[in-house]
Structures are given as C-alpha cells and as structure tokens.
C-alpha cells in the first residue's frame, strides 16, 4: 500500500471552511485570496504528480456547494429564513446588481481552472522524465481536463458565459487585466467544452480514468466494498455524464435556431446507455445487483444516497467528497440545518413542499412518498428544513456539526433523466415512457423491449443482444430487481407524456414532454443545484423564460415581489449577471 501517498492525500485535502455568507469581494475578478499558482518548479516524482492533482481536488472541494447555494435561492424550492443573510436575500429577489455578492462571484470556479492549467503545464514538463508512470500520467491529464471542462460547463449553465483561458496565470484578477481574455457567450462556451473533450490534451484522450483503489491498495488488503479508498474513484466528473450533458445543451441551442440537432441527441443517448449498461448488464451476481437502476430496491436505498460516509454505489457516478475529521467540510449544513451550531439561512418554501403532495403535479403522491420524506424535515418548533444534507436518525452521520456530506456531480438517476431528454428529442417515446414511468419490460406487447426495433437501440444486453438486462430476463439468470422507471420504483402514478405527434404536432409534443421531465427533476433533485440549470436549458431551447418564471414565482408569498421577480426573469435575469 502506498502509505506515503495516503498521508500526502490527507494533507492535500485539508480545506478551510468557506465563509461565503460573511465574505464579499469588491470585484469578481479581484479575489479575496492571496493564493497563487505557478508552474515554474515542475514535478520531480510520481508522488508529486499525484499530490499535484489532489491540489486541484482541494479547489474543487471549495466550490462544491457553490452551485447549490447560488442557484437554489433563485430556483423553485428554496427561500431565505428569517435568519438569512442579505446576499442570499439578494439572490432570492433576483437583485440586478450582484457585483459584490460573494455567492454570485465566479472567483472560486476560476481558481479551479487556474489550478488545472498550472497542473497541465507541470505535467507537460514531467512527461519525459525517465521515472514517469506513463499510464498514471495519461489518466491524470485526462482527469484534469474533465475537471476543467466541468467547471466551464457549470459556469455556462449559471452565468450564460465565461472567460476561457488555457494560459497559466497566477491570480484570478489577471483575467481582467488583458484584452486577450475574452468572455465567450453560451453557445461558443458549450462548443469550446465539446471541442476540448474531442481534442484531449498532449495527445491524451479525455475519457481515461484512474482507479485510485487499485493504485493505493494494489494488494487488495481490504475488499473494494469496504475500502476507504473506494470513494476516491468518484472524485472526477465522469466522461459520459459530462459529454452527454454538454450535448443536451448543444441540442437545445440548435433547437433554438431551428437547426437539426438529431446527431447531438443520438450521441448523448448512446453515451448514457453505454454507461448505464456497464453497471446494469453485470454478468456476476445478476440476481442481487441493483446498481444504477430504479427498481423495487430503490425506496429502501434512497435515504443512504446522502446519508452515507461515502458516495453510495447504488446511485453514485461522480461526487465531491469531504471528511470533517480532516477539516474537509462544506457549508450546506450551516445553511440548511436548524440545529446548533448551524445558522439555518435557507429553508424549503411551503409552495415547494406542497408540490410533492400535489396529485396534479406529482400523480399518485402521498405523505408516505419516499422522496418527500427524505427531502424535508421539521423541527419540534415547526421549522421546515431541507433534510437531504442532514438526514435524521442516521447511524453514520447524526451530529449537527459533521458538515461533510458529499455533493454529487452526477448520480445514476440523473443519467436516466438525461437519457429521457435525449430520447424525447429522438422521438423514441415508448422508451422515454419506460425509463421515466413504467420501467423497461419484457414481453410481447408494443411497449416491451424488442431488439429489432430502433426504439430500443442501446438497451440490449452486452452478453446477448436479443435480450435486455434492464428487464430482469437476461440469459444468465433472472434479475431480482428489474427496471421499474424513475417514478414507478416509488409506486407513483405515471406522469403524463405524449407518445405521438398527432395531437400537438412535433414541436408541441417535444415541449410537453420536456416540461414533464423538468417537473420530475424538481422532485428528484430538489435542493441539489441541478434543477435551475435544467430550467435554463429549457428556456434556451424554447426561447421562453416563462418556463423558469412559472416554476420559480409560486414560492413568493408577497405578490409584489413575485411580480418583480417574474419581470426580471422575463428580461433575462435567469442568468446570473455581474
């Protein structure tokens, strides 16, 4: 076991808690940090190569909660509590001047990019060292590139633009001091992200992975399922999820221009189906495998998605991980928990809570709905709180000060929902309904898996192309937990979709289904910072900011404020403007 690296890893990932609610920056290109990055020294060993990469991970930890805290007050669910901070209230009210708002500042994102550029420069110098571990070198270059692209993707969906740069610089403020740093608008930024993944770096493809468990414990002294190093394999944004999400954005931008986007949606669907199939089509122990598949086992495994010491393998794809015992923390508990020593700055709105139990919005819902119970809690004094980041009664995390919940970059249900969006735009409506509502079924009816139909391309077993492991009838056994759909696994009634274009026409059908998927995302990803970017994508696709306003404004109990927010959204304020 590489004990030296393990100790260095712990040292590298010691993160100071971010005090965003009390710290503002005078200009978003003028950071409050004194940290500098320099690639002048280079690396002299494989150990330095690894620990240099882990330095990027500390930067990623520091912005892990940023998308949640920035977008959720502006989104459909969260509102400030009476104890909240002025900067959060400004986000909630869609104030038009956020220049000095620390939550809104992209500074932390740019610091991650600076760290990535610095690391890649060092790696270029180290690549010809006689001692270099070539396989690890390539995997770390690839991983760094994906981190960089993910950060730019995140800025694209929040700000609608960002300054792209590959040059090594030492401070964020340098971005604003030269004419060569130009801000790219949304479409150019998405294209740049996709091109970067296509091109790779230094001749290295952008889809390589490194198995930290294998490297840190090559003798397998502890089995993977029990190993503390298993969670390290989640720390880099997954290629399939990242590229597929970018392709959905590309498709939306093409749709907005009335340009054929079929190729983008086809590639997204193929990537997601291949990634899901890698987990679902598992030849070993097929009867008990429930990984990455909404099934009868999902309700019993739902709470531990957040309430676990490490990302939960039933759902985890990529995550930013923390460990409070090593001072690695985020501020989600501080913001959402109403238990001392937390500050309870944000809470779920009543309109957002009610949405879960609204049979029109969430057909078949009840007070026993698993997602509802896992999402919300209430204190003895009646204060509602978002419970995902502070699950009560956990045998793993019960203390209110253990602010180290991991933050998902991608999770498996997100893959399923992104797949639904791609299937909709490929007009594969039967498969869409199966993935969202009823599950992929075996049988002879028109809505069952049939390997001869293009509708089901990519769902087939990797072992036997005539069968589908999603259905539980693969040729090597019967899966104990077959696909039941995102909604079906919770025993919910189907969410209505349009399965042909006769009633509403093609454009109307696609829009109807897209908005149904967005509504489902509001339930599945409540409070996770994932809904607002999807709302923005729908607004771009249909050139209609009402899509955002119609979902955000019901949480405002003050009618005048609701009208003001709606007007600002319709004027384009669904992008954070600085």
């Amino acid at each position: 076991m590489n004990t030296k690296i393990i100790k260095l890893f712990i040292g590298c990932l010691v993160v100071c808690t971010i005090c965003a609610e009390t710290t503002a920056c005078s200009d978003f290109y003028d950071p409050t940090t004194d940290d500098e990055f320099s690639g002048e020294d280079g690396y002299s060993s494989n150990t330095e190569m690894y620990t240099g990469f882990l330095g990027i991970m500390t930067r990623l930890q520091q912005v892990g909660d940023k998308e949640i805290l920035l977008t959720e007050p502006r989104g459909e669910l969260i509102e400030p509590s009476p104890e909240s901070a002025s900067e959060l209230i400004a986000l909630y009210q869609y104030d038009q001047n956020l220049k000095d708002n620390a939550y809104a500042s992209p500074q932390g994102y740019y610091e991650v990019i600076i760290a990535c550029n610095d690391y890649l420069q060092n790696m270029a110098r180290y690549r010809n060292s006689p001692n270099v571990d070539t396989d690890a070198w390539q995997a770390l270059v690839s991983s760094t590139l994906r981190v960089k692209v993910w950060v730019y993707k995140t800025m694209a969906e929040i700000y609608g633009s960002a300054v792209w740069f590959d040059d090594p610089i030492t401070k964020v403020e340098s971005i604003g001091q030269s004419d060569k740093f130009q801000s790219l608008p949304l479409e150019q930024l998405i294209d740049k992200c996709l091109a970067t993944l296509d091109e790779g770096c230094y001749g290295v493809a952008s889809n390589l992975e490194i198995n930290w468990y294998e490297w840190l414990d090559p003798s397998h002294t502890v089995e993977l399922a029990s190993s503390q190093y298993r969670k390290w394999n989640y720390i880099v944004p997954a290629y399939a999820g990242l590229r597929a999400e970018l392709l959905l954005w590309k498709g939306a931008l093409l749709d907005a221009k009335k340009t054929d986007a079929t190729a983008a949606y086809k590639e997204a669907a193929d990537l997601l189906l291949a990634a899901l199939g890698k987990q679902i089509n598992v030849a070993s122990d097929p009867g008990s495998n429930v990984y990455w598949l909404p099934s009868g086992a999902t309700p019993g495994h739902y709470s531990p998605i957040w309430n676990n010491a490490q990302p939960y393998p039933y759902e985890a794809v990529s995550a930013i991980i923390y460990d409070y015992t090593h001072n690695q923390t985020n501020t989600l508990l501080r913001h959402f928990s109403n238990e001392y020593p937390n500050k309870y700055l944000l809470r779920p709105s009543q309109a957002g809570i009610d949405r879960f139990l609204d049979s029109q919005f969430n057909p078949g819902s009840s007070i026993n709905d698993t997602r509802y119970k896992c999402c919300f809690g209430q204190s003895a004094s009646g204060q509602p709180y978002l419970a995902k980041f502070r699950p009560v009664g956990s045998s793993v995390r019960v203390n209110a000060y253990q602010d180290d919940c991991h933050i998902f970059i991608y999770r498996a249900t997100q893959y399923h929902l992104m797949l639904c969006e791609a299937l909709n735009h490929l007009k594969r409506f039967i498969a869409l309904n199966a993935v969202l509502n009823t599950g992929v079924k075996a049988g002879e009816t028109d809505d069952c898996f049939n390997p001869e139909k293009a509708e089901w391309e990519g769902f087939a077993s990797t072992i036997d192309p005539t069968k589908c492991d999603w259905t539980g009838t693969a040729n090597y056994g019967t899966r104990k937990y077959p696909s039941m759909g995102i909604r079906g696994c919770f025993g919910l009634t189907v969410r209505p979709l349009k399965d042909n274009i006769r009633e509403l026409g093609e454009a109307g059908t696609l829009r109807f289904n897209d908005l149904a998927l967005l509504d489902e995302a509001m339930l599945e990803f409540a409070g996770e910072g994932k809904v607002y970017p999807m709302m923005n994508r729908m607004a771009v696709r249909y050139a209609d900011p009402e899509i955002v306003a119609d979902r955000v404004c019901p949480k405002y109990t003050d009618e005048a404020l609701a009208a003001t927010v709606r007007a600002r959204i319709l004027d384009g304020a669904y992008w954070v403007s600085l």
Side-chain angles (χ1 to χ4, degrees):
M1 186 181 295
N2 296 286
T3 55
K4 183 177 180 182
I5 289 293
I6 294 167
K7 291 176 181 178
L8 285 169
F9 176 86
I10 297 299
C12 246
L13 290 185
V14 172
V15 178
C16 295
T17 303
I18 310 168
C19 298
E21 69 270 18
T22 58
T23 304
C25 52
S26 59
D27 185 283
F28 100 77
Y29 287 132
D30 183 16
T32 56
T33 176
D34 292 326
D35 293 329
E36 294 191 7
F37 305 88
S38 173
E40 294 180 358
D41 297 331
Y43 300 137
S44 59
S45 68
N46 290 325
T47 296
E48 289 185 5
M49 175 178 70
Y50 273 96
T51 55
F53 177 77
L54 295 174
I56 296 173
M57 293 299 100
T58 67
R59 292 290 169 190
L60 202 58
Q61 282 182 324
Q62 290 174 345
V63 298
D65 56 10
K66 185 173 183 64
E67 187 168 19
I68 294 172
L69 299 177
L70 173 53
T71 65
E72 286 298 332
R74 298 164 61 85
E76 82 296 346
L77 174 66
I78 298 299
E79 65 183 11
S81 72
E83 293 80 21
S84 196
S86 60
E87 290 179 320
L88 290 169
I89 294 171
L91 293 176
Y92 172 73
Q93 296 179 157
Y94 278 71
D95 283 4
Q96 294 170 300
N97 184 1
L98 298 173
K99 179 180 179 182
D100 296 327
N101 191 308
Y103 289 92
S105 169
Q107 172 192 320
Y109 290 130
Y110 283 119
E111 287 181 349
V112 179
I113 292 164
I114 289 172
C116 289
N117 290 346
D118 177 76
Y119 181 77
L120 290 172
Q121 183 187 52
N122 280 325
M123 292 292 274
R125 294 171 174 168
Y126 185 59
R127 69 187 302 180
N128 294 320
S129 170
N131 298 320
V132 67
D133 180 336
T134 302
D135 289 343
W137 183 90
Q138 291 180 344
L140 290 169
V141 166
S142 185
S143 297
T144 301
L145 202 63
R146 290 203 302 282
V147 171
K148 178 177 177 178
V149 170
W150 178 81
V151 171
Y152 271 119
K153 185 274 303 179
T154 301
M155 285 198 288
E157 60 195 13
I158 296 173
Y159 303 102
S161 64
V163 177
W164 187 286
F165 58 98
D166 299 310
D167 298 340
I169 60 175
T170 58
K171 286 189 175 184
V172 176
E173 64 186 355
S174 301
I175 300 171
Q177 296 176 346
S178 171
D179 291 338
K180 73 176 181 178
F181 295 113
Q182 299 295 319
S183 181
L184 297 182
L186 178 65
E187 184 168 11
Q188 291 181 32
L189 190 55
I190 295 299
D191 285 345
K192 182 67 173 177
C193 286
L194 286 167
T196 300
L197 291 180
D198 285 337
E199 295 164 4
C201 184
Y202 305 143
V204 176
S206 60
N207 62 350
L208 303 184
E209 298 178 353
I210 186 165
N211 190 325
W212 289 91
Y213 163 72
E214 291 287 347
W215 193 80
L216 291 169
D217 191 7
S219 61
H220 297 180
T221 56
V222 178
E223 291 186 2
L224 176 62
S226 304
S227 174
Q228 63 175 310
Y229 310 123
R230 180 180 193 167
K231 61 186 177 184
W232 295 7
N233 285 340
Y234 299 113
I235 63 179
V236 178
Y239 176 83
L242 176 58
R243 185 168 182 86
E245 192 172 18
L246 286 165
L247 287 165
L248 292 180
W249 274 102
K250 179 64 177 176
L253 289 159
L254 290 172
D255 287 338
K257 297 190 296 184
K258 311 299 183 184
T259 301
D260 183 23
T262 302
Y265 294 123
K266 175 68 164 59
E267 184 183 350
D270 290 346
L271 281 167
L272 292 165
L273 282 165
L276 289 167
K278 189 176 180 180
Q279 294 287 342
I280 295 169
N281 301 331
V282 177
S284 62
D285 197 18
S288 62
N289 176 46
V290 295
Y291 285 5
W292 289 30
L293 188 68
S295 68
T298 298
H301 290 99
Y302 199 72
S303 178
I305 291 174
W306 301 275
N307 193 15
N308 206 33
Q310 62 177 325
Y312 204 41
Y314 292 103
E315 180 74 0
V317 179
S318 305
I320 301 171
I321 59 175
Y322 300 84
D323 183 349
Y324 84 99
T325 63
H326 294 109
N327 297 319
Q328 301 166 25
T329 61
N330 55 60
T331 66
L332 294 181
L333 269 185
R334 182 187 309 172
H335 285 80
F336 290 109
S337 174
N338 52 18
E339 299 168 283
Y340 180 82
N342 299 302
K343 297 187 177 182
Y344 191 50
L345 302 175
L346 296 169
R347 67 185 182 188
S349 65
Q350 191 59 52
I353 295 173
D354 292 344
R355 198 176 278 128
F356 277 72
L357 302 179
D358 181 346
S359 61
Q360 295 298 311
F361 188 88
N362 188 19
S365 60
S366 75
I367 195 73
N368 295 316
D369 183 359
T370 298
R371 291 190 295 190
Y372 172 78
K373 292 193 297 183
C374 289
C375 194
F376 305 115
Q378 191 173 78
S379 69
S381 62
Q383 292 177 311
Y385 62 89
L386 185 69
K388 282 184 174 178
F389 308 121
R390 174 67 175 94
V392 174
S394 162
S395 61
V396 178
R397 183 178 291 112
V398 296
N399 295 312
Y401 61 82
Q402 292 182 213
D403 47 356
D404 61 351
C405 58
H406 45 264
I407 298 171
F408 283 105
I409 296 174
Y410 292 108
R411 56 186 183 92
T413 305
Q414 191 176 356
Y415 272 30
H416 284 260
L417 202 65
M418 287 196 295
L419 175 60
C420 286
E421 189 175 337
L423 291 172
N424 182 43
H425 288 273
L426 294 171
K427 296 182 280 294
R428 294 166 62 177
F429 300 132
I430 294 175
L432 161 63
N433 187 63
V435 176
L436 178 65
N437 282 318
T438 61
V440 180
K441 299 176 292 187
E444 303 298 329
T445 60
D446 289 341
D447 62 346
C448 290
F449 168 76
N450 183 335
E452 296 181 359
K453 291 186 176 181
E455 183 81 27
W456 298 104
E457 181 182 352
F459 284 84
S461 167
T462 54
I463 297 174
D464 184 346
T466 68
K467 299 185 178 182
C468 177
D469 297 353
W470 294 53
T471 68
T473 57
N475 64 321
Y476 48 80
T478 299
R479 182 178 293 281
K480 183 179 179 181
Y481 297 106
S483 162
M484 293 181 67
I486 295 171
R487 291 185 59 79
C489 71
F490 296 110
L492 296 166
T493 308
V494 299
R495 182 176 291 283
L497 298 170
K498 300 299 181 184
D499 60 3
N500 62 70
I501 62 175
R502 290 190 296 272
E503 179 185 354
L504 300 178
E506 181 173 314
T509 299
L510 298 180
R511 179 186 172 105
F512 183 94
N513 290 344
D514 265 346
L515 298 189
L517 296 176
L518 177 55
D519 289 345
E520 189 64 30
M522 291 163 63
L523 302 174
E524 178 63 37
F525 303 113
E528 296 181 48
K530 300 183 184 300
V531 176
Y532 197 79
M534 187 175 178
M535 285 196 291
N536 282 354
R537 184 163 67 247
M538 298 299 178
V540 166
R541 176 177 288 135
Y542 297 105
D544 185 4
E546 291 272 9
I547 291 172
V548 179
D550 287 348
R551 286 158 179 77
V552 168
C553 291
K555 74 179 182 181
Y556 298 93
T557 56
D558 184 307
E559 292 184 4
L561 178 57
T564 297
V565 169
R566 176 174 288 275
R568 289 173 176 173
I569 290 174
L570 297 187
D571 196 38
Y574 51 95
W575 302 114
V576 174
S577 178
L578 297 167

